[in-house]
Amino acid sequence: MLLSNRIDDTTRILLVDDEPANLMMLEEALGELGTIYCASNGNEALSMAMELSPDIVLLDIDMPDMSGLEVCQRLKNDARTVNISIIFVTSYQGDEIEVTSLANGGVDFITKPINFNTCRLRVKNQLLIQQHAKSLKQAKEELHRLVTQVPVQITYWDANWVNQFCNDYSGTWFGITAADMSAQSISEAFPVPLGEEIIRFTEQSDGLAVQFDSSYCKNGQAPKYVQISVSKSIQEDEVVGYLLTMVDITSIKLAKAELFNEKERLRITLNSIGDAVIATDIEGTITFINPIAERMTGWHARDAIGIPVEEVMNLMDASTHQKSLNPIRLALEEARIVGMAMNCQLVSQAGDAYRVEDSAAPIRDSGGNITGAIIVFHDVSEAIAMSVKMSHLANHDQLTDLPNRILLHDRLEYACKLASYTSKKVATLLIDIDHFKFINDTLGHSFGDRLIKQVAGRISQTIGPNCTLARVGGDEFLLLVPNVIQLEDIQAIACNVTNVISRPFTLGGNEYNVSVSVGVSVFPDDAKDQETIMRHADVAMYRAKKEGRNRYCFFSDELEHQLMQRHHLEKQLRETIATRSIEVFYQPKIRLADGALVGVEALARMPAEGGGYVSPLEFIPLAEETNLIVPLGQQILEKACCHAVRWKELYREVPLSVNVASAQFSESDFVQTVVEALEGSSLPAHLLELEVTETALMDDTEKAQSILSILSDKGIKVALDDFGTGYSSLSYLKKFKMDVLKIDQSFVRDMLTDNSDYDIVKTVVSLAESMALDLVAEGIETEGHVQALVALGCPVGQGYLFSKPLPLDEFEKYLQKKLEESL
C-alpha cells in the first residue's frame, strides 16, 4: 500500500544492512512507501542497484565486506546509478561522520537506534523531492517540445539585434541551428537583405509591434515568402529587446498566383468534362453551354445563349411524360442547391431521350447576391440499368444469392409490424454450421464456399414462400418465419432444418457429414424489437452448441442471464490481465514418507469484484475459450519465477511447478517465453517444472517432441498433468521426454472406496517406476490416502490434507515454519 496517494506506486527502496533484524524492522516501517528490496552486504547492494535502479537506498555504513561509504562512492561514480538517493544509516554519532556521509553523496543521515516514524518521514520526503524533480523535468521537456513543434520560427534579440533565443533547433529555416545562432547578429543569422529589412521596418514603426510580408532566397532555391511580426520589449521607456516570429506563407502567395490560372483552367475544364453544364443569368436565360450540353440538347451555343433554359432543356417525367420544372428555376427562387427530380428525362431537339440526373445551384457574387444559376447533369441511362443490378447485389449475398443483413432487417421489421396488428408471431432461426472452420482449413476455402452454397440450397428447399433465408455471416444463416400461429410449427421447421443438413454432402467426389446448431427466438414472446430478437437467437444458438451441437434450442431469460454473466466475466478477466492483477497461490508438494516440503505448484487466482476470488473453474475455461490463457499463463510464469527466486534468497530452494495450457504450448515462441521468464527472474532452470496436459502434446506430436527436447536440454523438468484422464496411451508416452507423472485427483479421491480407481492409481505407480519417472499424487485429503499411496510406492503428493493453495504471504509463513521444523 502507498503511504500517500502522492507517492508513485512503482517506487523501489533498497535496504542494505548486514544485520537481518535491522532489515526486517526497516522493511516493516517502510513497506507502505514502495516495494522493498534487501541486501546484506556491499557487493550484493551494488548488484541489486544495477538490476533494480531503486529510487532510494538506505545504506548501513559499517559492513564487513565493504563500507557503506565505499558503496555510495561506487554508485555515484556509475552513470547508471548516480541519480539514486542514498540515506546513510549508522550507529556512529557526531558531526564528523555525518559530514563525511553527506560529502560522499548521501542526501540524509539517520542514526541508530532508529526512530522509525522519523525514518519513514525522511524517506517519504526524499521520494516527494524526486517526484517534484521529475515533474519539473517533464514540464521543461514538454515546453521545449511545444516551442520546437510549432510551425513558426520564434527568436528573441537584444537591443542591438544580437540573438538571445531561437526555437529552430535543427536549423530548418536558414541552415543555422539555435545553438549556432546564439550571440550572432541578425545579419549573420538571417540572409542579409532580410535582416536589413526587418531592422528598417522595426525602426520606422512608432508602435510596439509591426507586421509585414517579406521574402528571401536560400541556396539558390525558389523564393520563400514569410509573414514577420516584431514586438518590442520596453523597460523604463527604452527598447531592451525584440520578439520576432516568422511564418511561412509561401503556399498562400503561390495560391494567389495560381488563382488566375485556375480561372482559365476552369473555363477549359467546363468545355472538356464529360458532364453537361448550362449557366443562366438571374432571369433563367442561358449565358453558357458546354459541348456536352450542346450534344444532349441538340442546341448549338450560339443559338442557345439568350434563350430561356426551359426551351433548350426539354425535361419530363420518364414514366408519365409530364413536363418537369427545370431545377434552375427552383435554385433561383429558393436560393439553394436543387437536385433534379427522380426519373427525369431530357428530350433533345432531334427527339433523342436521355435519363439524366444531377443538380442546379445559384451563383453568388462576392457580396452573396445571386447573379444567376448553373446546372450540371449527365446521361445515366446505362447507370439506371446498372443500378437495378447493383441494388440486387447490395441486398443479396454474393456467394449464395440469398438476402443479406440489409434486406433481412427490412423484412424482419415489416414482419414484426404486421405481427403486431394481426396478433401473430415472428420466428427467427439462427443457423450455424458446426465446425465449419475445421472444414474450411482442412479442405480449403473453395470447398468451404461450395459447402455454404449447398447448405443454403438445402435449407431453401425446406421453407415456405413467405419465409426469408438470409446469409448473415461466414457460416451463419438466419431463417425468418412470419405469421406464426403455433410454436409447434417453429419446432417442426427447426427439426426439419437439422435433419436435412444431416444428410451427407458431396464435395470433390467425397461425402462429408455436416451438422448445424439452431437458435430460435420468437417475436413478441422473447423480444419487442428486431435487434433484440436477433441477439436472443444468437444466445439460443450458443446454448445449442454448448449442449453438444447438431440440435436446436429456444431462447429463455436464463440463457441471456448466463451470457451476460459470461460477458461480464470476460471483461473482468481482460482487465485483470491488462493490469497484471492476477494473483498466484501456491500449494505445497509433500514427501509422503516424512512430510518434508519438496516442491510447490503455482495456481492462478483471479480477484473478484467486491472481494474474494473468482473460482478457477469459471475463469480458466473462459480464458482458454477466448485465448486469454496465453497472456494469463505468461504472467503466472513470470510472477512465480520471481517468487521462487525470493524464496531461494530468503529461505531455501523450492522447486516450482507451473501449469501450461494447450494454447500456450502451441505458441511459436513458447520456449522463448519460458527462457525469458527464467532470465528475467534469475531462477535456475533446474528449479522449474512445467506441467502440460495430454491434449497439449497430442495437437502436434512432432512439434511437442521438439519442444520437450529443448526444455530438457535447458534443464527444465516437464510433468504430465492429470495423467489418465486424456488419451492415456503408452505409445505416445514413450515418444516424449517426461520427468514426472501426476496422478489426477479424481482417481486419488475415491481410491479407498472404489476398486477401479485404486487399480488405476496402482497401475500408474507401476508405470512410473518402469519408466523411471517421478510421481506426484493430487487430491490427498486423508491419512488413509497417504498410507495407501505410500504402500503402493508413490513418493510425493499434494492436497488439502497438507495445505490448501495459499497466497504468497501465507505460503512464505508456511515455508518459514517448514524450514524451522527441518532444523
Side-chain angles (χ1 to χ4, degrees):
M1 295 178 59
L2 298 175
L3 182 62
S4 167
N5 59 8
R6 293 178 295 175
I7 298 295
D8 190 344
D9 58 5
T10 61
T11 297
R12 297 179 180 182
I13 302 174
L14 176 60
L15 308 178
V16 186
D17 199 308
D18 59 339
E19 296 185 12
N22 290 342
L23 290 175
M24 188 176 301
M25 288 187 291
L26 282 171
E27 184 175 4
E28 179 68 23
L30 303 178
E32 295 180 347
L33 297 181
T35 303
I36 306 298
Y37 300 88
C38 298
S40 59
N41 57 63
N43 285 317
E44 185 180 6
L46 291 173
S47 176
M48 293 182 70
M50 296 296 181
E51 178 182 354
L52 300 173
S53 295
D55 297 279
I56 287 185
V57 176
L58 268 70
L59 183 58
D60 186 18
I61 292 180
D62 189 12
M63 292 186 293
D65 68 327
M66 184 187 303
S67 74
L69 295 176
E70 184 179 350
V71 172
C72 178
Q73 289 175 353
R74 291 197 183 186
L75 292 176
K76 292 302 178 180
N77 289 334
D78 194 314
R80 295 169 293 178
T81 56
V82 68
N83 292 321
I84 298 175
S85 296
I86 298 175
I87 299 177
F88 284 103
V89 180
T90 184
S91 58
Y92 289 119
Q93 303 289 331
D95 294 340
E96 182 178 349
I97 187 65
E98 183 171 358
V99 169
T100 302
S101 301
L102 297 178
N104 275 274
V107 297
D108 206 343
F109 184 90
I110 299 174
T111 58
K112 298 179 182 178
I114 300 171
N115 183 314
F116 291 105
N117 288 331
T118 301
C119 177
R120 188 184 298 108
L121 288 174
R122 289 189 174 187
V123 172
K124 180 179 179 181
N125 287 339
Q126 287 299 326
L127 291 174
L128 290 175
I129 289 171
Q130 286 189 357
Q131 287 184 202
H132 292 327
K134 290 178 181 177
S135 298
L136 289 173
K137 181 180 179 182
Q138 182 180 358
K140 182 178 180 181
E141 291 174 350
E142 289 176 354
L143 180 59
H144 180 273
R145 284 196 298 269
L146 175 63
V147 174
T148 303
Q149 292 174 2
V150 292
V152 179
Q153 190 198 52
I154 304 173
T155 54
Y156 185 79
W157 312 80
D158 65 12
N160 297 317
W161 289 99
V162 175
N163 183 261
Q164 306 297 310
F165 169 79
C166 177
N167 72 332
D168 187 11
Y169 298 100
S170 59
T172 302
W173 281 77
F174 301 113
I176 302 176
T177 65
D180 292 337
M181 189 181 293
S182 179
Q184 284 190 344
S185 68
I186 194 169
S187 60
E188 294 174 310
F190 288 1
V192 174
L194 179 62
E196 292 175 350
E197 186 178 19
I198 291 171
I199 295 174
R200 184 175 67 255
F201 269 96
T202 303
E203 291 177 348
Q204 291 174 352
S205 173
D206 295 331
L208 294 177
V210 60
Q211 185 178 85
F212 58 94
D213 293 346
S214 184
S215 65
Y216 67 91
C217 293
K218 183 175 70 173
N219 300 328
Q221 299 176 357
K224 291 283 187 181
Y225 298 93
V226 291
Q227 184 177 80
I228 297 171
S229 298
V230 182
S231 296
K232 300 175 183 177
S233 179
I234 306 296
Q235 290 184 8
E236 298 180 357
D237 296 331
E238 289 188 8
V239 176
V240 295
Y242 305 93
L243 176 63
L244 188 152
T245 60
M246 191 178 301
V247 181
D248 190 340
I249 59 170
T250 304
S251 58
I252 298 175
K253 288 287 187 181
L254 296 178
K256 289 181 178 180
E258 284 288 327
L259 183 58
F260 174 81
N261 295 333
E262 185 64 28
K263 289 181 179 180
E264 182 63 16
R265 283 195 295 269
L266 179 60
R267 184 185 65 81
I268 296 173
T269 299
L270 289 176
N271 286 330
S272 304
I273 61 174
D275 285 355
V277 181
I278 296 177
T280 72
D281 60 18
I282 197 170
E283 301 297 332
T285 300
I286 293 177
T287 59
F288 173 83
I289 179 171
N290 77 342
I292 299 298
E294 288 180 315
R295 178 179 62 80
M296 293 181 66
T297 61
W299 286 74
H300 292 291
R302 61 179 180 272
D303 301 322
I305 293 176
I307 303 296
V309 68
E310 290 85 357
E311 294 185 27
V312 176
M313 293 185 68
N314 182 16
L315 298 177
M316 63 180 62
D317 185 277
S319 300
T320 65
H321 298 290
Q322 296 293 318
K323 193 76 172 178
S324 297
L325 179 65
N326 195 292
I328 276 187
R329 292 297 176 186
L330 283 176
L332 291 171
E333 292 173 5
E334 300 181 7
R336 64 180 180 88
I337 298 175
V338 179
M340 192 168 286
M342 295 294 292
N343 206 31
C344 190
Q345 181 174 279
L346 171 67
V347 180
S348 72
Q349 276 188 324
D352 297 323
Y354 302 93
R355 292 290 296 274
V356 292
E357 70 174 21
D358 241 325
S359 61
I363 302 172
R364 300 176 185 272
D365 61 18
S366 59
N369 302 310
I370 295 176
T371 60
I374 189 168
I375 184 169
V376 181
F377 57 97
H378 58 274
D379 184 1
V380 293
S381 302
E382 292 183 5
I384 294 293
M386 181 63 71
S387 68
V388 175
K389 182 178 181 180
M390 293 301 295
S391 176
H392 179 84
L393 293 175
N395 290 283
H396 290 77
D397 174 57
Q398 188 174 0
L399 177 64
T400 62
D401 204 37
L402 293 175
N404 59 16
R405 283 183 178 272
I406 298 173
L407 184 55
L408 173 67
H409 277 289
D410 289 342
R411 293 187 180 180
L412 179 57
E413 182 179 12
Y414 175 78
C416 291
K417 288 182 179 178
L418 184 61
S420 299
Y421 290 113
T422 60
S423 299
K424 295 182 180 180
K425 302 179 186 298
V426 177
T428 56
L429 289 77
L430 185 62
I431 305 165
D432 184 88
I433 302 175
D434 296 330
H435 303 298
F436 178 74
K437 184 178 185 301
F438 174 78
I439 297 173
N440 219 24
D441 293 344
T442 303
L443 302 179
H445 291 285
S446 61
F447 275 84
D449 289 346
R450 289 164 60 186
L451 176 62
I452 289 289
K453 293 176 69 174
Q454 290 189 33
V455 169
R458 284 195 188 180
I459 299 176
S460 298
Q461 293 172 2
T462 67
I463 63 177
N466 293 328
C467 299
T468 297
L469 178 65
R471 186 184 181 204
V472 294
D475 61 339
E476 286 186 345
F477 301 88
L478 192 133
L479 176 58
L480 169 63
V481 184
N483 302 319
V484 176
I485 299 176
Q486 297 179 334
L487 293 179
E488 289 77 5
D489 298 336
I490 305 173
Q491 188 174 14
I493 294 174
C495 185
N496 197 20
V497 168
T498 56
N499 288 338
V500 75
I501 299 301
S502 64
R503 300 198 307 267
F505 289 82
T506 302
L507 296 170
N510 298 314
E511 290 189 347
Y512 297 91
N513 292 315
V514 176
S515 65
V516 292
S517 298
V518 183
V520 184
S521 180
V522 180
F523 173 90
D525 298 11
D526 298 330
K528 303 301 182 183
D529 59 84
Q530 57 176 322
E531 180 180 347
T532 307
I533 195 174
M534 292 184 68
R535 179 165 58 84
H536 286 179
D538 184 66
V539 173
M541 186 271 291
Y542 177 76
R543 166 59 70 87
K545 285 192 177 293
K546 294 289 285 186
E547 291 182 352
R549 306 176 191 271
N550 192 27
R551 65 191 64 218
Y552 60 86
C553 181
F554 281 76
F555 172 79
S556 68
D557 291 337
E558 178 187 357
L559 282 179
E560 184 174 35
H561 177 68
Q562 291 177 0
L563 187 63
M564 291 301 102
Q565 281 187 320
R566 180 183 181 278
H567 287 170
H568 179 73
L569 182 59
E570 181 180 345
K571 179 182 177 182
Q572 186 182 355
L573 178 59
R574 291 185 183 278
E575 291 176 351
T576 300
I577 293 173
T579 57
R580 298 184 68 86
S581 302
I582 197 73
E583 295 184 17
V584 187
F585 278 36
Y586 297 95
Q587 187 172 35
K589 293 181 181 180
I590 302 299
R591 188 163 57 217
L592 300 181
D594 57 8
L597 176 68
V598 295
V600 63
E601 180 178 359
L603 300 168
R605 290 296 183 267
M606 175 178 163
E609 295 178 347
Y613 295 89
V614 178
S615 170
L617 298 178
E618 294 182 27
F619 76 84
I620 293 295
L622 179 60
E624 291 175 338
E625 182 179 338
T626 56
N627 207 37
L628 293 173
I629 195 69
V630 175
L632 177 68
Q634 183 175 345
Q635 288 188 20
I636 294 299
L637 177 63
E638 292 171 353
K639 290 186 176 183
C641 288
C642 290
H643 293 163
V645 171
R646 170 181 168 84
W647 305 331
K648 177 176 176 291
E649 295 172 349
L650 296 180
Y651 307 103
R652 67 178 179 84
E653 289 188 350
V654 181
L656 171 70
S657 297
V658 181
N659 291 285
V660 176
S662 297
Q664 286 179 269
F665 194 78
S666 62
E667 287 286 297
S668 60
D669 61 347
F670 170 69
V671 173
Q672 183 63 27
T673 299
V674 175
V675 172
E676 289 177 355
L678 290 174
E679 292 177 349
S681 62
S682 299
L683 180 69
H686 72 274
L687 292 181
L688 178 61
E689 177 181 288
L690 300 178
E691 297 188 8
V692 300
T693 62
E694 298 171 72
T695 304
L697 300 177
M698 294 306 295
D699 285 343
D700 186 338
T701 55
E702 291 185 3
K703 179 180 178 182
Q705 285 177 303
S706 174
I707 292 175
L708 294 179
S709 295
I710 295 173
L711 294 175
S712 178
D713 292 342
K714 294 183 178 295
I716 301 169
K717 292 184 178 181
V718 178
L720 184 59
D721 197 13
D722 302 336
F723 182 70
T725 62
Y727 298 95
S728 301
S729 169
L730 297 180
S731 61
Y732 87 80
L733 187 59
K734 292 191 299 181
K735 296 179 181 179
F736 304 121
K737 285 190 175 182
M738 289 289 173
D739 301 288
V740 183
L741 285 185
K742 296 196 73 174
I743 307 175
D744 188 68
Q745 60 180 335
S746 61
F747 303 129
V748 175
R749 185 182 300 112
D750 298 327
M751 65 179 292
L752 301 180
T753 58
D754 190 317
N755 290 334
S756 296
D757 286 341
Y758 181 86
D759 290 339
I760 291 174
V761 174
K762 182 178 179 181
T763 301
V764 175
V765 172
S766 299
L767 176 64
E769 291 177 351
S770 65
M771 299 185 69
L773 297 176
D774 293 337
L775 194 62
V776 178
E778 297 180 302
I780 298 176
E781 298 180 353
T782 68
E783 287 292 343
H785 286 141
V786 175
Q787 295 171 6
L789 290 167
V790 170
L792 290 175
C794 179
V796 178
Q798 62 185 104
Y800 276 28
L801 175 64
F802 308 116
S803 173
K804 65 180 181 180
L806 301 171
L808 177 62
D809 56 344
E810 292 185 24
F811 176 72
E812 291 186 346
K813 293 178 182 177
Y814 176 92
L815 185 58
Q816 178 68 32
K817 181 180 178 182
K818 280 291 183 181
L819 184 61
E820 293 171 354
E821 291 174 355
S822 65
L823 297 177

